[in-house]
Amino acid sequence: MFSWKRLMFIATLSVALSGCVAVGAAAVGAAAAAVIYNRQNIKASMDDESITYAIEKRINDDEELKTEARIIVSTYHRMVLLAGQTPTDAMRSRVVTIAKSVPGSEQIYNELAVEAPSSTLANTSDSWITAKIKATFLGKADLKSGEFKVITDNGIVYLMGIVTRDQADQAVDIARHVSGVEKVVKIFKYRKPYPEEEVVPK
């Protein structure tokens, strides 16, 4: 049976390993993220952290973005997710330009919404959704061999990972059936079923 103590340990560990950070004025209570059964090697993890940090720093150097926007940056195997809210389309475009200026990423997924930063109440709900999805993943034997990062923002769940198509389908189905989820966005690299590890195109 799944232990909530185990879940809390994973949530704590994710702070150091997730590579997902919210920056900006409304960052308090930002969407939670976690890596489930992370098989990334140390160099890949460090590369992801370096990319995330560089993007965050450049965003924080922009005073308008720092004070008026809420931006979540998450990197997984050089796939960069930009989520959150910016008050104007111009600010949204500026965040994308900043992310593209940082070397190392293979692809940038721009999921920024042009609207006011989400509330603390919404962020709390997002954290609950992420925790529920993580807990369910851990209870599924077929998903334990995969790699997933889970990010929730405003009810939208972003799933990142290197997985088989079957694992992807299972993960998406789980996320869709969690209360409060409005939408599930897949950010996957697909691989052949174990023991094959070759990544295949979408």
Side-chain angles (χ1 to χ4, degrees):
M1 182 178 294
F2 182 77
S3 164
W4 281 106
K5 183 180 292 184
R6 185 181 182 191
L7 176 58
M8 289 302 295
F9 169 77
I10 293 167
T12 302
L13 185 63
S14 73
V15 173
L17 298 180
S18 67
C20 173
V21 180
V23 294
V28 177
V35 177
I36 307 299
Y37 292 96
N38 185 0
R39 299 180 305 171
Q40 289 189 92
N41 60 41
I42 294 175
K43 184 180 184 305
S45 296
M46 291 179 65
D47 287 345
D48 287 346
E49 292 292 340
S50 178
I51 292 168
T52 299
Y53 174 78
I55 295 173
E56 293 167 17
K57 185 178 185 306
R58 296 186 189 189
I59 290 172
N60 278 317
D61 286 343
D62 185 308
E63 193 63 28
E64 187 177 38
L65 292 176
K66 180 179 179 180
T67 58
E68 297 184 24
R70 177 179 177 275
I71 303 160
I72 297 170
V73 182
S74 183
T75 308
Y76 191 79
H77 274 266
R78 299 183 180 274
M79 299 181 290
V80 176
L81 166 68
L82 301 175
Q85 303 82 34
T86 61
T88 67
D89 191 61
M91 292 172 70
R92 181 178 188 266
S93 298
R94 201 151 75 239
V95 174
V96 176
T97 299
I98 289 172
K100 288 181 177 179
S101 73
V102 173
S105 64
E106 291 183 356
Q107 190 165 357
I108 294 172
Y109 295 83
N110 178 17
E111 297 290 336
L112 289 163
V114 180
E115 59 188 36
S118 60
S119 67
T120 301
L121 182 61
N123 296 333
T124 300
S125 176
D126 289 338
S127 297
W128 183 90
I129 290 170
T130 297
K132 178 65 174 178
I133 293 171
K134 291 188 305 184
T136 309
F137 279 7
L138 287 171
K140 297 290 184 179
D142 290 346
L143 298 182
K144 290 181 180 178
S145 62
E147 293 184 62
F148 292 94
K149 179 177 286 188
V150 183
I151 303 100
T152 308
D153 183 56
N154 255 8
I156 301 175
V157 174
Y158 303 94
L159 299 177
M160 305 179 77
I162 297 181
V163 296
T164 66
R165 293 185 184 275
D166 180 64
Q167 288 171 327
D169 291 343
Q170 288 188 64
V172 170
D173 186 63
I174 288 170
R176 282 176 176 165
H177 287 87
V178 171
S179 177
V181 173
E182 300 290 336
K183 178 182 176 182
V184 178
V185 177
K186 298 182 291 184
I187 303 177
F188 291 143
K189 288 183 180 179
Y190 291 102
R191 64 175 181 81
K192 294 179 180 178
Y194 183 84
E196 298 292 338
E197 295 294 339
E198 179 184 349
V199 175
V200 297
K202 288 185 178 181

